[in-house]
């Protein structure tokens, strides 16, 4: 074969190699690759995120022609934050309270200080509160917070050192007494009412101290306390996330438990964020960010309501009856009674704080 012919064949083959891939390569080069994300969340979100993950996977497949698998991790909110700080590679965290995510910034240095402003509504796509779950017929006649310290009443609630629900329950009980004593929580920020506020705080501390004398066991997380109350049959009242109480009724039937809505409770604002150090290393930032953004979509807001989370934007619900699921009650924010979450954490839940003091004194 002549050198000229060999050169022509080589040139033809080279051109063919360049052209051939264009006829077989799909528009999305990674369409067959499954992307994996890890969502590290708190106890009561299991059922909601199991369904949301399917919704998001379908959405991502339609819009990006890629498969995505979202793995879940659940436990007490503060315990979960600690796990991420210690190396659990979460692409996103969806935790009970903003302070748990703040710890990932302050201690773990895994996210920026401005994480809260990166999504709408201070990165809180749904809200909740604390209500009571009691035995059918409410045999101990528990109607409000003050009934939790009656003789013979056992209260089930998790450990505030590890559980977001427990901290919210503690703060809600404290806020209830403050409102009862002051008649208006606005007085807390009024310098002229300083003596009244101080006296009310003493009453609140005494009440919460007594309440924990009625707590026979402290589980590490909200789901553990639900199991203690529902399956183990301990206690007369469970201080529960609103969604946990409704799910217990739905799973076990209304013939076993009743829901009691107290006159006042606390606004819970579960928070979410991308874990920057992890997604930058794994190159999953785009999909992880969209996973959280899509929580604000009408489809996700409606799903949140179905699982008894109060949607951040109820106006987006097509099924208006979902908005009627939630009992109307007066809610106060942490800032109203405790200045800020940072102040509440430092004063009440830090090592040696008021909770440690009252729990030790109550044993």
């Amino acid at each position: 074969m002549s050198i000229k012919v060999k050169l022509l064949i080589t040139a033809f083959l080279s051109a063919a190699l360049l052209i051939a891939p264009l006829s077989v390569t799909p528009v999305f080069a990674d369409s067959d690759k499954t992307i994996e994300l890890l969502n590290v969340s708190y106890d009561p979100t299991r059922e909601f995120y199991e369904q949301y993950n399917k919704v998001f996977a379908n959405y991502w497949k339609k819009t990006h022609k890629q498969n995505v698998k979202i793995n879940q991790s659940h436990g007490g909110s503060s315990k979960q934050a600690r796990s991420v700080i210690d190396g659990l590679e979460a692409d996103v965290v969806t935790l009970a309270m903003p302070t748990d995510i703040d710890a990932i910034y302050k201690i773990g240095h895994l996210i920026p200080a401005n994480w809260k402003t990166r999504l709408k509504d201070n990165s809180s796509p749904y809200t909740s509160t604390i209500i009571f779950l009691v035995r059918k017929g409410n045999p101990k006649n528990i109607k409000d917070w003050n009934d939790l310290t009656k003789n013979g009443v056992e209260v089930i609630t998790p450990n505030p050192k590890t559980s977001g629900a427990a901290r919210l329950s503690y703060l809600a009980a404290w806020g209830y007494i403050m409102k009862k004593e002051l008649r208006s929580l606005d007085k807390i920020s009024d310098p002229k009412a300083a003596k009244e506020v101080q006296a009310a705080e003493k009453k609140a501390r005494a009440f919460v101290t007594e309440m924990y004398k009625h707590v026979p066991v402290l589980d590490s997380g909200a789901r553990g306390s639900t199991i203690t109350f529902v399956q183990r049959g301990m206690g007369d009242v469970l201080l529960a996330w609103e969604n946990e109480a409704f799910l217990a009724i739905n799973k076990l039937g209304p013939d076993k438990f009743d829901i009691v809505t107290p006159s006042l409770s606390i606004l819970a604002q579960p928070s979410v964020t991308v874990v920057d150090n992890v997604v930058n290393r794994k190159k999953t930032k785009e999909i992880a960010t969209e996973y959280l953004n899509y929580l604000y979509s009408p489809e996700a807001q409606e799903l949140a309501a179905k699982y008894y989370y109060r949607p951040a934007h109820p106006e987006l619900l097509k099924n208006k009856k979902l908005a009627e699921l939630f009992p109307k009650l007066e809610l106060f924010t942490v800032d109203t009674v405790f200045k800020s979450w940072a102040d509440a954490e430092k004063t009440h839940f830090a090592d040696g704080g008021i909770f440690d003091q009252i729990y030790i004194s109550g044993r």
Side-chain angles (χ1 to χ4, degrees), residues 143-163:
K143 296 179 180 178
D144 217 333
W145 294 96
N146 56 299
D147 294 320
L148 302 182
T149 57
K150 292 194 304 188
N151 288 337
V153 170
E154 279 195 340
V155 179
I156 302 299
T157 184
N159 188 342
K161 305 288 278 190
T162 56
S163 166

Side-chain angles (χ1 to χ4, degrees), residues 100-341:
D100 291 327
I101 298 183
D102 279 335
I104 296 173
Y105 154 64
K106 293 175 181 177
I107 302 171
H109 310 294
L110 301 175
I111 59 175
N114 70 337
W115 66 267
K116 194 182 290 187
T117 63
R118 298 191 295 185
L119 293 172
K120 291 185 290 186
D121 305 305
N122 286 322
S123 295
S124 180
Y126 42 79
T127 66
S128 191
T129 189
I130 299 296
I131 60 177
F132 304 160
L133 189 67
V134 299
R135 308 289 171 193
K136 186 64 184 176
N138 195 8
K140 295 296 177 75
N141 197 28
I142 297 165
K143 296 179 180 178
D144 217 333
W145 294 96
N146 56 299
D147 294 320
L148 302 182
T149 57
K150 292 194 304 188
N151 288 337
V153 170
E154 279 195 340
V155 179
I156 302 299
T157 184
N159 188 342
K161 305 288 278 190
T162 56
S163 166
R167 261 175 277 183
L168 289 162
S169 298
Y170 171 109
L171 296 175
W174 189 287
Y176 169 82
I177 296 299
M178 295 294 289
K179 171 72 181 294
K180 184 180 177 183
E181 294 298 316
L182 297 172
R183 294 195 177 92
S184 171
L185 292 176
D186 292 338
K187 283 188 175 182
I188 294 173
S189 58
D190 183 359
K192 295 179 181 178
K195 287 186 177 180
E196 283 184 80
V197 171
Q198 191 175 28
E201 286 175 341
K202 288 182 179 178
K203 292 283 185 70
R205 178 168 179 152
F207 174 79
V208 174
T209 300
E210 181 62 27
M211 184 180 81
Y212 276 96
K213 291 179 182 178
H214 292 249
V215 178
V217 60
L218 289 176
D219 293 293
S220 63
R223 183 57 56 89
S225 282
T226 301
I227 291 170
T228 294
F229 183 76
V230 170
Q231 295 183 9
R232 295 173 63 194
M234 291 183 65
D236 303 294
V237 55
L238 172 69
L239 309 187
W241 283 106
E242 186 171 50
N243 73 296
E244 280 282 274
F246 278 107
L247 286 174
I249 292 279
N250 287 348
K251 283 185 177 181
L252 299 166
D255 58 324
K256 293 186 178 180
F257 303 100
D258 288 329
I259 287 175
V260 173
T261 302
S263 62
L264 176 74
S265 196
I266 191 166
L267 177 65
Q269 296 174 295
S271 301
V272 303
T273 192
V274 165
V275 183
D276 297 66
N277 279 27
V278 174
V279 297
N280 289 339
R281 184 171 62 256
K282 292 174 60 178
K283 298 184 173 21
T284 54
K285 185 172 184 177
E286 179 188 4
I287 186 171
T289 301
E290 189 59 19
Y291 177 78
L292 298 182
N293 273 323
Y294 201 68
L295 285 167
Y296 294 88
S297 69
E299 185 176 20
Q301 291 284 288
E302 195 143 314
L303 186 65
K306 286 179 180 177
Y307 281 88
Y308 304 103
Y309 286 98
R310 296 177 179 236
H313 298 278
E315 71 278 3
L316 297 179
L317 302 182
K318 293 178 183 178
N319 184 349
K320 300 305 177 186
K321 289 184 178 180
L322 287 174
E324 299 172 5
L325 289 173
F326 304 101
K328 291 179 173 56
L329 73 161
E330 183 181 354
L331 298 172
F332 68 88
T333 66
V334 169
D335 293 356
T336 301
V337 177
F338 306 96
K339 295 183 181 178
S340 69
W341 262 115

Side-chain angles (χ1 to χ4, degrees), residues 25-35 64-67:
T25 302
V27 175
F28 295 92
D30 292 327
S31 61
D32 294 330
K33 180 183 177 183
T34 297
I35 303 169
H64 290 72
K65 303 296 186 285
Q66 289 178 314
N67 297 315

